Amino acid sequence: MTPDELNKLDAELVVKEKALVAQLEEIASKNPVIPGDYEPKMPNYGRDDEENINEAAALPEIVAMTDALERQLKEVRETRNKIRMGTYGTCSNCGSPIAPKRLQALSTAILCIDCVHKLT
C-alpha cells in the first residue's frame, strides 16, 4: 500500500476505534486493574422480581457483546500499531506478505491465509 492509502486506512481505523470504545462504554466499565479490559455492566431495569429476572437474562448477551467489542477493538489497535511500525500487510506468524485481496476484505487481518488454515 502507498503511504496515502495507509494514512487513509489509519484515519478510518481511528473512527472505528472511537465507535467501538463508545459502544463498550455503554455496556461495560473499564477494568481498573487490567488496561484495555472492560467489565460488563449489569443492566438495571427496576426492582421488582420480573425486572430482576430480565436483568439476569440479559447479562449473558451483554457479556458476549462486550467480548466481541473488546476483540474488535484489539484488532483495530493492533492494525494501527502495525501501520505505525511499518509492518502492516505482513503475517504476524510467518512474516510473509498478506494477500492484498485479503486485506481489502479484512483490513485488520494479521495472518496470511496459509497461517489461518494451519492454525485452525
Side-chain angles (χ1 to χ4, degrees):
M1 292 183 96
T2 68
D4 286 343
E5 291 171 324
L6 287 172
N7 286 336
K8 182 181 177 191
L9 175 59
D10 190 51
E12 291 168 2
L13 291 172
V14 166
V15 171
K16 187 172 185 175
E17 183 177 1
K18 288 178 182 178
L20 289 167
V21 168
Q23 288 176 306
L24 273 165
E25 289 176 350
E26 285 182 24
I27 63 169
S29 302
K30 287 184 180 181
N31 183 336
V33 179
I34 303 171
D37 185 48
Y38 288 81
E39 295 292 326
K41 294 177 187 173
M42 179 67 141
N44 186 4
Y45 301 138
R47 293 182 177 221
D48 68 37
D49 288 343
E50 186 176 323
E51 291 167 329
N52 290 337
I53 290 169
N54 289 336
E55 291 170 356
L59 188 59
E61 184 177 332
I62 293 170
V63 169
M65 287 172 40
T66 300
D67 289 345
L69 290 168
E70 282 180 308
R71 227 178 356 267
Q72 290 174 33
L73 183 59
K74 181 181 177 197
E75 290 171 357
V76 166
R77 288 178 172 166
E78 286 177 355
T79 300
R80 292 194 66 223
N81 188 50
K82 287 181 80 98
I83 291 170
R84 282 191 296 276
M85 300 298 291
T87 59
Y88 180 73
T90 303
C91 179
S92 294
N93 188 53
C94 72
S96 297
I98 299 172
K101 285 186 179 183
R102 176 162 168 72
L103 292 172
Q104 286 174 341
L106 182 64
S107 63
T108 57
I110 61 169
L111 298 175
C112 68
I113 202 70
D114 289 337
C115 287
V116 168
H117 291 297
K118 289 177 190 174
L119 297 173
T120 55

